[in-house]
């Protein structure tokens, strides 16, 4: 996927999730995570509306959690199938944040 094909999206944060609603208030993208002790979170769910798939939005959602956890000095357990594949595919980007 070329960088110009990626739709940049700003997400809202609510509790342990980042999400985006459309103009009608329907949720169109979401990532959730749950605390696992003091130093880790489990990234357990990523959702992107079918109309938006293939535009890099799920990747941005995962990266938003990564950014937040780096600030909080926490590690991530990528339990969500999408996040798990992403962490495996780009170890140079995620090895510092992935829980061992």
């Amino acid at each position: 996927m070329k960088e110009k094909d990626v739709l940049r999206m700003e997400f809202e944060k609510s509790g342990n999730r980042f999400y985006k609603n459309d103009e009608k208030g329907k949720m169109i993208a979401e990532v959730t995570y749950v605390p696992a002790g003091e130093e880790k979170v489990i990234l357990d769910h990523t959702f992107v509306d079918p109309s938006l798939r293939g535009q890099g939005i799920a990747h941005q959602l995962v990266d938003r959690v990564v950014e937040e956890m780096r600030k909080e000095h926490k590690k991530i357990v990528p339990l969500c199938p999408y996040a798990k594949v992403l962490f495996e595919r780009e170890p140079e980007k995620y090895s510092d944040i992935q829980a061992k």
Side-chain angles (χ1 to χ4, degrees), residues 4-49:
K4 69 176 180 56
D5 296 337
V6 173
L7 175 65
R8 286 274 151 228
M9 195 169 272
E10 291 294 317
F11 304 108
E12 295 181 57
K13 185 176 191 311
S14 172
N16 293 335
R17 71 192 269 255
F18 289 96
Y19 68 97
K20 178 74 174 179
N21 291 338
D22 68 11
E23 61 282 346
K24 295 179 183 150
K26 177 185 168 215
M27 187 187 61
I28 54 171
E30 174 186 53
V31 64
T32 61
Y33 56 94
V34 291
E38 294 293 310
E39 294 147 20
K40 293 183 202 169
V41 298
I42 297 168
L43 200 162
D44 62 347
H45 170 72
T46 307
F47 164 79
V48 175
D49 189 80

Side-chain angles (χ1 to χ4, degrees), residues 1 7 17 41 44 53 55-56 69-70 79-81 85 88 93:
M1 179 176 353
L7 175 65
R17 71 192 269 255
V41 298
D44 62 347
R53 290 188 185 152
Q55 299 181 59
M69 293 309 114
R70 280 187 175 131
L79 201 60
C80 155
V85 167
E88 289 168 2
K93 186 173 180 180

